[in-house]
Amino acid sequence: MELTVRTRRGGIATKLVGIALAFLVAALAAIGMTLLQSWKLQGAAAAINDMGSERMRSYRMVLLMSERVRSPQDANVAADLRDTVQQFESTLAAVKHGDPARPIALPADPAIAAAVADVEVRWLRNIRPAVGAVLADPVTAGAQAEGLRRGVEPFVAAIDGVVTAIERDNASITSWLRSFQMILLAAAVLGTVALVYLLYLLVVRPVSALQEGIVRLAAEDFGARVHIDSDDEFGALGRAFNAMAENLQNAYATLEARVDEKTHSLEIRNRELATLFDATTALNEAADAEALCNVFLKLTLPAAGAAAGAVRLRESESPDLHVHAAVGLPDAVLQGETCEHARGCACGLAAERDQAVVENHVGAGLRQCTTFGFHGVAVFPIRHERQVLGVFTLFFREPRMFSAREQRLFTALGQQLGAALQALRLRSMEREVAVSEERNLLARELHDSIAQSLAFLNLQAQMLEASLRGGHLDEARAEVGRIREGVQESYDDVRELLLHFRLRMTDFDLAGALRQAISRFESHTAIRTTFRETGSGIEPDPDVQVQILHVIQEALSNARKHAGATRVEVHLERGPVYRFTVRDDGCGFDPDRGDASGRHVGLAIMRERAYRIHAALEVRSVPGAGTEVVLSLPVAPRELREAAA
């Protein structure tokens, strides 16, 4: 259904201004005509009044002439007569020529002009000479006065003719004036009606049509359209409304399909996210590369709908690809693909080009696979950063096409596998480095303790042998005593080293592990040892705690071996910075000079352990006043440490 609104060409503003100007011109024309007629009536009325006064002056002149004849010596009568003549002539001239200032004007009628000319001629020929004679010689002008009295009637009749002619013209003008007023009245009524109709046609009707269309759209009648035959503002609104209605109709018509499409797209995205999440979770839990690749294939094959799959990895910089895991592949395939050169098949192409390769036709890259019933292969690179670590291959019984979105998903899975493999390698290297460092520390401790003790025992044994050969039994017994002391010291060092390297953090927190270590130290050495902890804070990582315990145990060992201490205090202060303090009452030493005997090389080992966990080690000691070892370990962000300080 279409709601039709027909308007004229042009904008609404142009149309309204044009209508207003048309009505203004018509009104001004009508008002101007009425004003013109009124001015004519006013001028004609003044002419009628003046011609009436001329008639009265004519009779007055006759009267004054009679008085002049009867009283020739009366100067006032003569003066009145002269004034009356002057007024008559000036008034007649004003009527004839007009005066816009009064205003006074004769109608533009030739008959009226002829009548005025006749009055003027009669005045100049008959009346004016007689009046002049009476004024000049009233005694001898009696006959003229008498003749003027008898001839004034025709003159007055001529004046009345002028007045009658002007009145007839005024009647005609009055009729025109009334006609113009009626026209103006009719124009006002018709103009108002026309203006209302045009406003309805140009404004109200289009607005009503648009409003009705909006109501229908609100009622979900999306077939509503507005037809506007104009190029004005309402035409633009109508076209915009129709476009909006059409868009809404199309939107609602395809809404269900679009909802299904979006739902399907969201399901695909959810499956992709679930696959990525499951892969990330499973890959982080794998213990070694083979388990990692097997878990990856078990997740990837169902997601791709593949019948089988394999993961091939490179070793170091070699271009060869070795099968590390396979699911669903026949043994014959595995035996033939234990090691494939990088450019020998589709798998090699994917690794060489660092991009996905999909084969769905019999060719060089798929010929061997078709013999085992696979007619589609998809190979995706396994990369970490910019390094290709290998590829994973998906085998299909039927040709399988991959969309760009699917290729991005499986490429991302390959990157996840690459990151997990690299993490395994890094963890393995980290363990190797840690083992190497521990071995180096163990070697140094063995060298600095047991090795030196054994060298001392070797020297004592040689001296014992020399004493026995020389028969010096007293010296031999003394050497045996020194050998016994050396053996006991070596035994204590071995037990202490065994205690160090049996240390685990699985059953205790840091404070509990410290209490256990201190309890063992006190039971083995009979040195009174106390432990105190203050403050609160987050626990360091387990590997950091192990290094802390090694440092504390080394400090306790130094107190036993070198300080000759009888009492040791250990203080744990928690906070943004953990502080561990080991204080003994031993002999002390000069930290600036070190120890000439070389027995304090354990301080270097303690500093190495502190450096590994980014801690600071401070040793304070005074000869004869004991030793204090302080280990400071930041465990909170720098901002929190500064705020706490």
Side-chain angles (χ1 to χ4, degrees):
M1 177 181 178
E2 291 189 350
L3 308 175
T4 303
V5 177
R6 300 182 181 276
T7 59
R8 293 176 297 174
R9 298 290 179 181
I12 293 296
T14 303
K15 294 174 183 178
L16 294 178
V17 171
I19 293 171
L21 289 177
F23 278 105
L24 177 62
V25 170
L28 290 177
I31 294 172
M33 293 301 295
T34 56
L35 289 176
L36 178 61
Q37 299 302 323
S38 298
W39 185 81
K40 287 182 178 180
L41 286 176
Q42 186 178 3
I48 290 173
N49 290 335
D50 284 356
M51 292 307 292
S53 64
E54 291 289 80
R55 182 172 51 192
M56 297 301 297
R57 290 189 186 93
S58 298
Y59 286 119
R60 180 174 176 76
M61 282 188 291
V62 172
L63 179 62
L64 290 174
M65 288 174 64
S66 298
E67 290 291 331
R68 175 67 173 168
V69 171
R70 285 196 300 268
S71 302
Q73 302 300 325
D74 193 348
N76 293 329
V77 173
D80 289 342
L81 183 57
R82 288 189 185 91
D83 290 340
T84 302
V85 170
Q86 185 178 0
Q87 291 176 1
F88 185 91
E89 288 181 344
S90 61
T91 301
L92 183 60
V95 170
K96 180 179 179 180
H97 299 290
D99 185 3
R102 291 181 55 183
I104 181 172
L106 289 175
D109 188 350
I112 296 175
V116 173
D118 180 56
V119 170
E120 185 179 14
V121 169
R122 288 176 180 271
W123 167 259
L124 294 175
R125 288 182 180 179
N126 299 325
I127 305 304
R128 183 69 178 86
V131 173
V134 171
L135 286 173
D137 188 3
V139 177
T140 60
Q144 285 88 349
E146 185 62 25
L148 179 60
R149 190 167 46 249
R150 290 193 300 270
V152 74
E153 292 299 333
F155 182 71
V156 172
I159 294 175
D160 289 338
V162 173
V163 172
T164 302
I166 294 174
E167 288 177 347
R168 284 198 299 269
D169 189 77
N170 279 359
S172 175
I173 293 174
T174 302
S175 176
W176 279 108
L177 179 61
R178 290 174 180 173
S179 298
F180 285 126
Q181 289 174 342
M182 293 300 295
I183 291 172
L184 185 60
L185 179 62
V189 175
L190 293 176
T192 302
V193 173
L195 184 60
V196 171
Y197 175 73
L198 289 174
L199 287 175
Y200 169 78
L201 187 66
L202 297 177
V203 179
V204 177
R205 188 175 176 185
V207 171
S208 299
L210 289 172
Q211 184 179 8
E212 184 178 352
I214 293 172
V215 171
R216 291 179 57 190
L217 281 182
E220 297 186 358
D221 180 8
F222 300 109
R225 296 292 186 273
V226 175
H227 182 71
I228 298 181
D229 292 335
S230 67
D231 292 329
D232 56 14
E233 291 83 353
F234 286 110
L237 286 175
R239 287 187 291 274
F241 177 86
N242 292 337
M244 178 186 67
E246 184 174 359
N247 290 336
L248 286 175
Q249 188 175 24
N250 294 335
Y252 272 78
T254 60
L255 180 61
E256 186 174 356
R258 292 186 349 191
V259 169
D260 293 340
E261 181 183 355
K262 291 294 183 182
T263 302
H264 180 66
S265 176
L266 287 175
E267 290 176 353
I268 294 176
R269 287 179 180 270
N270 288 337
R271 286 199 298 270
E272 292 176 352
L273 290 175
T275 302
L276 289 171
F277 177 78
D278 294 341
T280 303
T281 304
L283 294 177
N284 287 331
E285 295 175 354
D288 53 37
E290 183 177 356
L292 191 67
C293 295
N294 282 315
V295 169
F296 177 79
L297 288 175
K298 290 177 181 178
L299 287 171
T300 307
L301 294 182
V311 175
R312 296 173 174 85
L313 299 179
R314 283 177 173 172
E315 297 296 337
S316 185
E317 298 297 329
S318 173
D320 294 334
L321 297 172
H322 300 270
V323 177
H324 275 238
V327 175
L329 286 178
D331 293 338
V333 177
L334 293 176
Q335 292 174 1
E337 295 195 0
T338 301
C339 178
E340 289 286 346
H341 192 269
R343 290 177 292 277
C345 63
C347 302
L349 291 176
E352 183 180 8
R353 298 175 183 176
D354 190 14
Q355 64 182 14
V357 175
V358 179
E359 293 284 351
N360 285 310
H361 60 278
V362 178
L366 195 58
R367 185 177 296 112
Q368 183 179 2
C369 299
T370 55
T371 60
F372 298 99
F374 298 115
H375 297 279
V377 171
V379 187
F380 297 91
I382 301 171
R383 75 164 73 93
H384 177 68
E385 294 180 351
R386 296 184 179 182
Q387 181 182 4
V388 177
L389 305 180
V391 296
F392 69 93
T393 309
L394 304 176
F395 299 89
F396 302 91
R397 297 295 181 186
E398 300 294 335
R400 169 76 154 81
M401 299 301 297
F402 279 80
S403 64
R405 185 171 186 169
E406 290 177 319
Q407 290 192 20
R408 288 195 298 270
L409 171 63
F410 288 99
T411 300
L413 288 172
Q415 292 176 351
Q416 290 281 351
L417 178 58
L421 289 170
Q422 190 68 14
L424 279 178
R425 294 178 181 178
L426 291 176
R427 285 198 293 270
S428 177
M429 294 174 61
E430 183 179 0
R431 286 193 295 270
E432 291 178 2
V433 171
V435 170
S436 176
E437 290 180 351
E438 287 297 327
R439 287 176 178 174
N440 291 333
L441 290 174
L442 177 60
R444 290 189 60 177
E445 291 192 12
L446 289 174
H447 176 270
D448 296 332
S449 58
I450 297 176
Q452 291 182 2
S453 297
L454 292 176
F456 173 74
L457 290 174
N458 184 30
L459 179 60
Q460 295 297 325
Q462 292 176 8
M463 294 176 64
L464 174 61
E465 183 181 7
S467 297
L468 290 174
R469 282 197 304 266
H472 304 292
L473 296 180
D474 293 338
E475 294 180 1
R477 280 193 290 270
E479 295 297 337
V480 169
R482 285 192 286 270
I483 289 174
R484 185 184 300 111
E485 291 177 0
V487 170
Q488 182 63 41
E489 184 175 356
S490 297
Y491 175 72
D492 292 339
D493 288 341
V494 169
R495 289 189 62 186
E496 188 171 347
L497 287 176
L498 291 175
L499 178 63
H500 281 12
F501 291 100
R502 283 178 181 175
L503 186 62
R504 295 290 184 270
M505 295 299 299
T506 56
D507 299 329
F508 300 96
D509 58 2
L510 181 58
L514 285 173
R515 287 192 180 93
Q516 186 187 57
I518 291 169
S519 177
R520 290 177 181 175
F521 173 78
E522 189 174 21
S523 63
H524 291 166
T525 63
I527 298 176
R528 183 182 176 185
T529 306
T530 59
F531 174 71
R532 183 168 57 96
E533 59 176 318
T534 58
S536 62
I538 59 175
E539 287 289 321
D541 294 335
D543 56 342
V544 175
Q545 295 184 27
V546 169
Q547 299 300 327
I548 292 172
L549 286 174
H550 280 309
V551 172
I552 300 299
Q553 287 178 337
E554 186 66 34
L556 293 174
S557 177
N558 288 337
R560 176 187 67 83
K561 291 190 295 184
H562 308 299
T566 60
R567 189 170 62 181
V568 178
E569 296 179 359
V570 179
H571 179 207
L572 165 59
E573 181 184 358
R574 290 187 175 91
V577 177
Y578 270 51
R579 287 185 176 83
F580 305 87
T581 304
V582 180
R583 185 181 298 107
D584 64 63
D585 61 351
C587 62
F589 67 98
D590 187 356
D592 296 331
R593 294 179 57 189
D595 183 30
S597 65
R599 293 184 178 182
H600 290 178
V601 292
L603 291 176
I605 297 175
M606 293 166 64
R607 289 192 172 92
E608 287 183 9
R609 292 188 183 276
Y611 177 77
R612 289 172 61 183
I613 60 175
H614 306 289
L617 184 71
E618 184 179 2
V619 179
R620 306 172 187 145
S621 182
V622 176
T627 302
E628 183 180 71
V629 178
V630 180
L631 178 68
S632 300
L633 174 68
V635 295
R638 185 182 63 183
E639 293 80 2
L640 294 179
R641 299 200 303 269
E642 293 176 351

